[in-house]
Amino acid sequence: MVPHLITALTGPINELEQRILDSMPAIERWFRLEWMEHTPPFYTSVDIRNAGFKLAPVDTNLYPGGWNNLTPDMLPLAVQAAMAAIEKICPEAKNLLVIPENHTRNTFYLSNVVQLKRIFHMAGLNVRIGSISPDIKEPTVIDLPGGEQVTLEPVIRSKRRLGLKDFDPCTILLNNDLSAGAPGILEELHEQYLLPPLHAGWSVRRKSNHFQSYEDICKRFGKLLGIDPWLINPMFNKCGDVNFAEDQGLECLRSNVDALLTKIKRKYKEYGIHEKPFVVVKADNGTYGMGIMTVRDVKDLDGLNRKTKNKMSVIKDGQTVNDVIIQEGVLTNERVNDSVAEPVVYMMDRYVVGGFYRIHADRGVDENLNAPGASFVPLAFEHSTHLPQPGMKPGASAPNRFYMYGVVARLAMLAGSYELEATDPDAEVYT
């Protein structure tokens, strides 16, 4: 089953799928050469939207949750990728400490932590879960849906290392996006690998930096394939010094929204697209689907109500929003069981290991689906080969559709790699 594309404009996307399949050797060689020069993020998930006329990533997460949405059939790929990733970083690794988010009572999130523990256990590591939450003062067992349990233990910081009682890990895997900043307990560790690095956290990361890197990569990739990079790239602008609560900086927002809507209209006209353009305004350092609004007309910004202003003012961990990215809105014209859907692709090291569809029965094609009420359906290829099937009609084959998603997701992951290199505080700067 391939999710149904509800759009008359499947032509451009089928053409793109065909071009990607025909160029597979060149694409794989291109990625191979890139990974010789750049280190992939340790693990990544990418939210993708398929409009039928363009296919683009709209968010890239360097601390992905949701691993529990991967089916058992996908686990062997994740385990192999985990082995490859660990071998590169610390071949003699024996103990792995996973540090999760601090919201300890979210059992759905903790099921994701258990899945990560399972993956790395099967990759040959002793895995324990250490919490940096001040609420965890002793080993705490939490019951999870489906009968599983998770034990959270308080981390212990010695002078130069981090561990648990009677557990000294060589590698520490963060599944905490550090929205509130990097706590001192994680800094200046000695001979321990912290993955991903602290500068991958949202206290440093900016979506605008990520999508600038992605845009640059798309231009080169578009040249390789002979396609318009716009077909896989969401255009964007950004604004700093915005304060929704105080109505400050909204003039910058209006002018940038207006300019971007004009650029999108021009592209739609070029491709004969009759949809209404829209943009998505997001916190530049936002996560968890917070601090997001859809704008279809610049006039929408004139009468923002208090509820919208409050929603846009503060994001996860009480962080105030001052910088926003204005991103070209990409419709999602995919449906699963009559609900609007978008694929989320999961990667570890440089490998695609699986994914799922995020579906939302109460959201429209131009709205954010990462919201309460979302549900998850495994990507439809779990019983078929993971390899593309040349010769199949575009749009008809799950592996071919998924291969196309995997290519776009890997481009976003590569952008994450460029982004981390640019913000690495330990990188040598040559002048």
Short mmCIF file of all heavy atoms in Angstrom, two decimals, residues 218-260:
data_model
loop_
_atom_site.label_atom_id
_atom_site.label_comp_id
_atom_site.label_asym_id
_atom_site.label_seq_id
_atom_site.Cartn_x
_atom_site.Cartn_y
_atom_site.Cartn_z
N CYS A 218 21.06 21.64 -1.92
CA CYS A 218 20.06 21.38 -2.98
C CYS A 218 20.49 21.97 -4.32
O CYS A 218 20.18 21.39 -5.37
CB CYS A 218 18.69 21.97 -2.59
SG CYS A 218 17.82 20.90 -1.45
N LYS A 219 21.16 23.09 -4.29
CA LYS A 219 21.62 23.70 -5.55
C LYS A 219 22.60 22.75 -6.24
O LYS A 219 22.53 22.53 -7.45
CB LYS A 219 22.27 25.06 -5.28
CG LYS A 219 21.26 26.16 -4.99
CD LYS A 219 21.95 27.46 -4.63
CE LYS A 219 20.90 28.50 -4.24
NZ LYS A 219 21.52 29.66 -3.57
N ARG A 220 23.52 22.19 -5.47
CA ARG A 220 24.50 21.26 -6.06
C ARG A 220 23.84 19.95 -6.49
O ARG A 220 24.14 19.41 -7.55
CB ARG A 220 25.63 20.97 -5.06
CG ARG A 220 26.52 22.18 -4.82
CD ARG A 220 27.79 21.81 -4.10
NE ARG A 220 27.56 21.42 -2.71
CZ ARG A 220 27.80 20.22 -2.23
NH1 ARG A 220 28.25 19.25 -3.00
NH2 ARG A 220 27.58 19.95 -0.95
N PHE A 221 22.91 19.46 -5.65
CA PHE A 221 22.23 18.21 -5.96
C PHE A 221 21.31 18.40 -7.18
O PHE A 221 21.21 17.51 -8.04
CB PHE A 221 21.42 17.76 -4.75
CG PHE A 221 20.82 16.39 -4.90
CD1 PHE A 221 21.60 15.25 -4.79
CD2 PHE A 221 19.46 16.23 -5.16
CE1 PHE A 221 21.05 13.98 -4.93
CE2 PHE A 221 18.90 14.97 -5.31
CZ PHE A 221 19.70 13.85 -5.19
N GLY A 222 20.68 19.56 -7.27
CA GLY A 222 19.82 19.86 -8.42
C GLY A 222 20.60 19.86 -9.72
O GLY A 222 20.13 19.38 -10.75
N LYS A 223 21.83 20.38 -9.64
CA LYS A 223 22.70 20.39 -10.82
C LYS A 223 23.05 18.96 -11.24
O LYS A 223 23.07 18.63 -12.42
CB LYS A 223 23.97 21.19 -10.49
CG LYS A 223 24.68 21.76 -11.70
CD LYS A 223 25.80 22.71 -11.29
CE LYS A 223 25.26 24.10 -11.00
NZ LYS A 223 26.37 25.06 -10.73
N LEU A 224 23.31 18.10 -10.24
CA LEU A 224 23.65 16.69 -10.51
C LEU A 224 22.50 16.00 -11.25
O LEU A 224 22.73 15.24 -12.19
CB LEU A 224 23.91 15.97 -9.18
CG LEU A 224 24.16 14.46 -9.24
CD1 LEU A 224 25.58 14.17 -9.74
CD2 LEU A 224 23.95 13.81 -7.87
N LEU A 225 21.26 16.28 -10.82
CA LEU A 225 20.10 15.60 -11.40
C LEU A 225 19.49 16.34 -12.59
O LEU A 225 18.65 15.79 -13.30
CB LEU A 225 19.01 15.42 -10.33
CG LEU A 225 18.92 14.03 -9.69
CD1 LEU A 225 20.21 13.68 -8.96
CD2 LEU A 225 17.74 13.95 -8.74
N GLY A 226 19.90 17.62 -12.77
CA GLY A 226 19.28 18.42 -13.81
C GLY A 226 17.86 18.81 -13.47
O GLY A 226 16.96 18.80 -14.32
N ILE A 227 17.61 19.14 -12.18
CA ILE A 227 16.27 19.56 -11.76
C ILE A 227 16.32 20.94 -11.10
O ILE A 227 17.37 21.38 -10.64
CB ILE A 227 15.64 18.56 -10.75
CG1 ILE A 227 16.51 18.45 -9.48
CG2 ILE A 227 15.41 17.20 -11.38
CD1 ILE A 227 15.82 17.81 -8.29
N ASP A 228 15.17 21.58 -11.05
CA ASP A 228 15.02 22.84 -10.32
C ASP A 228 15.11 22.51 -8.82
O ASP A 228 14.30 21.73 -8.31
CB ASP A 228 13.64 23.43 -10.66
CG ASP A 228 13.37 24.74 -9.93
OD1 ASP A 228 14.16 25.13 -9.05
OD2 ASP A 228 12.33 25.37 -10.24
N PRO A 229 16.09 23.08 -8.09
CA PRO A 229 16.23 22.75 -6.66
C PRO A 229 14.97 23.05 -5.86
O PRO A 229 14.74 22.44 -4.81
CB PRO A 229 17.39 23.64 -6.19
CG PRO A 229 18.07 24.13 -7.41
CD PRO A 229 17.11 24.05 -8.54
N TRP A 230 14.14 23.97 -6.37
CA TRP A 230 12.91 24.34 -5.64
C TRP A 230 12.00 23.13 -5.43
O TRP A 230 11.26 23.07 -4.44
CB TRP A 230 12.15 25.43 -6.40
CG TRP A 230 10.85 25.79 -5.75
CD1 TRP A 230 10.68 26.57 -4.63
CD2 TRP A 230 9.54 25.38 -6.16
NE1 TRP A 230 9.34 26.65 -4.33
CE2 TRP A 230 8.62 25.95 -5.24
CE3 TRP A 230 9.05 24.60 -7.21
CZ2 TRP A 230 7.24 25.76 -5.35
CZ3 TRP A 230 7.69 24.41 -7.32
CH2 TRP A 230 6.79 24.98 -6.40
N LEU A 231 12.09 22.15 -6.33
CA LEU A 231 11.22 20.97 -6.19
C LEU A 231 11.47 20.19 -4.89
O LEU A 231 10.61 19.44 -4.45
CB LEU A 231 11.42 20.03 -7.39
CG LEU A 231 10.93 20.56 -8.75
CD1 LEU A 231 11.38 19.63 -9.86
CD2 LEU A 231 9.42 20.72 -8.75
N ILE A 232 12.65 20.39 -4.29
CA ILE A 232 12.96 19.66 -3.05
C ILE A 232 13.37 20.61 -1.92
O ILE A 232 13.80 20.16 -0.86
CB ILE A 232 14.08 18.61 -3.27
CG1 ILE A 232 15.31 19.24 -3.92
CG2 ILE A 232 13.57 17.44 -4.11
CD1 ILE A 232 16.52 18.33 -3.98
N ASN A 233 13.21 21.92 -2.12
CA ASN A 233 13.72 22.89 -1.14
C ASN A 233 12.65 23.89 -0.74
O ASN A 233 12.12 24.59 -1.59
CB ASN A 233 14.92 23.63 -1.75
CG ASN A 233 15.45 24.71 -0.82
OD1 ASN A 233 15.54 24.52 0.38
ND2 ASN A 233 15.79 25.86 -1.38
N PRO A 234 12.32 24.00 0.57
CA PRO A 234 11.38 25.03 0.98
C PRO A 234 12.11 26.37 1.16
O PRO A 234 13.07 26.46 1.93
CB PRO A 234 10.86 24.51 2.34
CG PRO A 234 11.98 23.68 2.87
CD PRO A 234 12.79 23.18 1.70
N MET A 235 11.69 27.40 0.43
CA MET A 235 12.32 28.72 0.57
C MET A 235 12.04 29.26 1.97
O MET A 235 11.06 28.86 2.61
CB MET A 235 11.77 29.67 -0.49
CG MET A 235 12.04 29.21 -1.92
SD MET A 235 11.51 30.40 -3.19
CE MET A 235 9.72 30.26 -3.12
N PHE A 236 12.89 30.19 2.43
CA PHE A 236 12.66 30.73 3.77
C PHE A 236 13.25 32.12 3.92
O PHE A 236 14.12 32.54 3.15
CB PHE A 236 13.26 29.79 4.84
CG PHE A 236 14.76 29.87 4.93
CD1 PHE A 236 15.39 30.68 5.86
CD2 PHE A 236 15.57 29.12 4.07
CE1 PHE A 236 16.77 30.75 5.93
CE2 PHE A 236 16.95 29.18 4.13
CZ PHE A 236 17.56 30.01 5.07
N ASN A 237 12.76 32.87 4.90
CA ASN A 237 13.36 34.10 5.40
C ASN A 237 13.44 33.97 6.90
O ASN A 237 12.91 33.02 7.48
CB ASN A 237 12.48 35.32 5.06
CG ASN A 237 12.51 35.67 3.59
OD1 ASN A 237 13.48 35.42 2.90
ND2 ASN A 237 11.43 36.25 3.09
N LYS A 238 14.08 34.95 7.56
CA LYS A 238 14.09 34.91 9.03
C LYS A 238 13.98 36.33 9.58
O LYS A 238 14.27 37.31 8.89
CB LYS A 238 15.34 34.22 9.55
CG LYS A 238 16.64 34.92 9.20
CD LYS A 238 17.83 34.22 9.85
CE LYS A 238 19.12 34.97 9.50
NZ LYS A 238 20.28 34.44 10.21
N CYS A 239 13.55 36.41 10.83
CA CYS A 239 13.44 37.68 11.53
C CYS A 239 13.97 37.53 12.95
O CYS A 239 13.62 36.57 13.63
CB CYS A 239 11.98 38.13 11.63
SG CYS A 239 11.38 39.00 10.21
N GLY A 240 14.78 38.49 13.39
CA GLY A 240 15.24 38.50 14.77
C GLY A 240 14.51 39.58 15.55
O GLY A 240 13.76 40.39 14.99
N ASP A 241 14.72 39.62 16.85
CA ASP A 241 14.14 40.64 17.73
C ASP A 241 12.63 40.75 17.61
O ASP A 241 12.07 41.85 17.51
CB ASP A 241 14.78 42.02 17.46
CG ASP A 241 16.28 42.00 17.72
OD1 ASP A 241 16.69 41.33 18.68
OD2 ASP A 241 17.03 42.63 16.95
N VAL A 242 11.98 39.59 17.57
CA VAL A 242 10.52 39.57 17.54
C VAL A 242 10.02 39.28 18.95
O VAL A 242 10.56 38.42 19.65
CB VAL A 242 10.00 38.47 16.57
CG1 VAL A 242 8.49 38.36 16.64
CG2 VAL A 242 10.44 38.77 15.15
N ASN A 243 9.01 40.04 19.38
CA ASN A 243 8.38 39.78 20.67
C ASN A 243 6.87 39.83 20.47
O ASN A 243 6.28 40.91 20.34
CB ASN A 243 8.84 40.80 21.72
CG ASN A 243 8.32 40.48 23.11
OD1 ASN A 243 7.19 40.04 23.28
ND2 ASN A 243 9.15 40.70 24.12
N PHE A 244 6.24 38.65 20.38
CA PHE A 244 4.82 38.60 20.09
C PHE A 244 3.99 39.21 21.22
O PHE A 244 2.99 39.87 20.98
CB PHE A 244 4.38 37.15 19.83
CG PHE A 244 4.83 36.62 18.51
CD1 PHE A 244 6.02 35.91 18.39
CD2 PHE A 244 4.08 36.84 17.36
CE1 PHE A 244 6.44 35.43 17.15
CE2 PHE A 244 4.50 36.36 16.13
CZ PHE A 244 5.68 35.66 16.03
N ALA A 245 4.41 38.97 22.46
CA ALA A 245 3.65 39.47 23.61
C ALA A 245 3.61 40.99 23.63
O ALA A 245 2.60 41.61 23.99
CB ALA A 245 4.25 38.93 24.90
N GLU A 246 4.73 41.62 23.19
CA GLU A 246 4.81 43.10 23.23
C GLU A 246 4.57 43.74 21.87
O GLU A 246 4.75 44.94 21.70
CB GLU A 246 6.22 43.51 23.72
CG GLU A 246 6.66 42.89 25.03
CD GLU A 246 5.93 43.49 26.22
OE1 GLU A 246 5.49 44.64 26.11
OE2 GLU A 246 5.78 42.77 27.22
N ASP A 247 4.17 42.91 20.86
CA ASP A 247 3.96 43.41 19.50
C ASP A 247 5.20 44.08 18.92
O ASP A 247 5.11 45.05 18.16
CB ASP A 247 2.79 44.42 19.46
CG ASP A 247 1.44 43.71 19.54
OD1 ASP A 247 1.42 42.49 19.29
OD2 ASP A 247 0.44 44.36 19.87
N GLN A 248 6.38 43.58 19.25
CA GLN A 248 7.62 44.16 18.73
C GLN A 248 8.16 43.30 17.59
O GLN A 248 8.05 42.08 17.62
CB GLN A 248 8.68 44.24 19.85
CG GLN A 248 8.38 45.31 20.88
CD GLN A 248 9.32 45.23 22.08
OE1 GLN A 248 10.19 44.37 22.13
NE2 GLN A 248 9.13 46.12 23.03
N GLY A 249 8.77 43.97 16.61
CA GLY A 249 9.39 43.25 15.50
C GLY A 249 8.40 42.69 14.50
O GLY A 249 8.79 41.96 13.58
N LEU A 250 7.12 43.03 14.64
CA LEU A 250 6.12 42.44 13.74
C LEU A 250 6.17 43.06 12.34
O LEU A 250 5.70 42.46 11.39
CB LEU A 250 4.72 42.56 14.34
CG LEU A 250 4.49 41.79 15.65
CD1 LEU A 250 3.02 41.76 16.02
CD2 LEU A 250 5.01 40.36 15.56
N GLU A 251 6.78 44.25 12.23
CA GLU A 251 6.91 44.86 10.90
C GLU A 251 7.88 44.05 10.04
O GLU A 251 7.64 43.80 8.85
CB GLU A 251 7.40 46.32 11.04
CG GLU A 251 7.09 47.19 9.83
CD GLU A 251 5.70 46.96 9.24
OE1 GLU A 251 4.68 47.14 9.92
OE2 GLU A 251 5.65 46.53 8.06
N CYS A 252 8.98 43.61 10.68
CA CYS A 252 9.95 42.74 9.98
C CYS A 252 9.24 41.46 9.55
O CYS A 252 9.43 40.98 8.42
CB CYS A 252 11.10 42.41 10.93
SG CYS A 252 12.20 41.09 10.34
N LEU A 253 8.41 40.93 10.43
CA LEU A 253 7.69 39.70 10.13
C LEU A 253 6.76 39.91 8.94
O LEU A 253 6.73 39.11 8.00
CB LEU A 253 6.91 39.26 11.38
CG LEU A 253 6.22 37.90 11.32
CD1 LEU A 253 7.24 36.79 11.08
CD2 LEU A 253 5.47 37.63 12.63
N ARG A 254 5.99 40.99 8.97
CA ARG A 254 5.04 41.26 7.87
C ARG A 254 5.76 41.37 6.52
O ARG A 254 5.35 40.79 5.53
CB ARG A 254 4.28 42.57 8.13
CG ARG A 254 3.15 42.42 9.13
CD ARG A 254 2.29 43.70 9.19
NE ARG A 254 1.45 43.67 10.37
CZ ARG A 254 1.79 44.19 11.56
NH1 ARG A 254 2.97 44.78 11.71
NH2 ARG A 254 0.98 44.11 12.58
N SER A 255 6.86 42.15 6.49
CA SER A 255 7.53 42.38 5.21
C SER A 255 8.15 41.09 4.68
O SER A 255 8.12 40.81 3.49
CB SER A 255 8.59 43.49 5.33
OG SER A 255 9.59 43.11 6.24
N ASN A 256 8.68 40.25 5.59
CA ASN A 256 9.28 38.99 5.15
C ASN A 256 8.24 37.96 4.72
O ASN A 256 8.45 37.20 3.78
CB ASN A 256 10.17 38.41 6.26
CG ASN A 256 11.56 39.00 6.25
OD1 ASN A 256 12.37 38.70 5.38
ND2 ASN A 256 11.84 39.89 7.19
N VAL A 257 7.09 37.95 5.41
CA VAL A 257 6.00 37.07 5.01
C VAL A 257 5.50 37.47 3.62
O VAL A 257 5.31 36.64 2.73
CB VAL A 257 4.84 37.11 6.04
CG1 VAL A 257 3.56 36.51 5.47
CG2 VAL A 257 5.25 36.35 7.31
N ASP A 258 5.34 38.79 3.43
CA ASP A 258 4.84 39.30 2.15
C ASP A 258 5.81 38.95 1.01
O ASP A 258 5.41 38.48 -0.05
CB ASP A 258 4.67 40.83 2.26
CG ASP A 258 3.83 41.39 1.13
OD1 ASP A 258 2.91 40.68 0.67
OD2 ASP A 258 4.10 42.52 0.69
N ALA A 259 7.11 39.15 1.26
CA ALA A 259 8.13 38.87 0.23
C ALA A 259 8.14 37.38 -0.12
O ALA A 259 8.23 37.01 -1.30
CB ALA A 259 9.51 39.31 0.73
N LEU A 260 8.03 36.53 0.89
CA LEU A 260 8.10 35.09 0.63
C LEU A 260 6.84 34.60 -0.09
O LEU A 260 6.93 33.79 -1.03
CB LEU A 260 8.30 34.31 1.94
CG LEU A 260 8.66 32.83 1.81
CD1 LEU A 260 9.86 32.62 0.89
CD2 LEU A 260 8.95 32.21 3.17
#
